[in-house]
Amino acid sequence: MRSDQLFTLDSVATPADTRRALETVDKLAELHEAHKKMFATFVTAAMQQLTAALQQLTP
């Protein structure tokens, strides 16, 4: 999918095309939310591991 072509005059020329473009936007919003949750989980886990590793270092 090319986001630069999502809402061009050609991509929304008919009601069906407009509906398809809006469905694509909805799907992108879902994927964005899933990515944010995954990234937050990853960062939290990485920080916990980094903290644990730093605590094991000698001063």
Side-chain angles (χ1 to χ4, degrees):
M1 184 199 73
R2 297 208 31 207
S3 61
D4 61 326
Q5 295 178 351
L6 188 57
F7 286 114
T8 64
L9 289 178
D10 291 335
S11 72
V12 293
T14 68
D17 292 339
T18 301
R19 186 173 41 258
R20 192 173 16 254
L22 291 171
E23 288 169 356
T24 301
V25 169
D26 288 342
K27 184 62 177 174
L28 286 172
E30 289 175 24
L31 291 171
H32 182 245
E33 285 303 313
H35 176 265
K36 287 188 336 186
K37 289 178 184 176
M38 181 191 68
F39 187 76
T41 300
F42 167 78
V43 169
T44 301
M47 288 291 103
Q48 289 172 342
Q49 291 176 2
L50 180 60
T51 300
L54 289 174
Q55 289 174 344
Q56 294 178 4
L57 293 176
T58 56

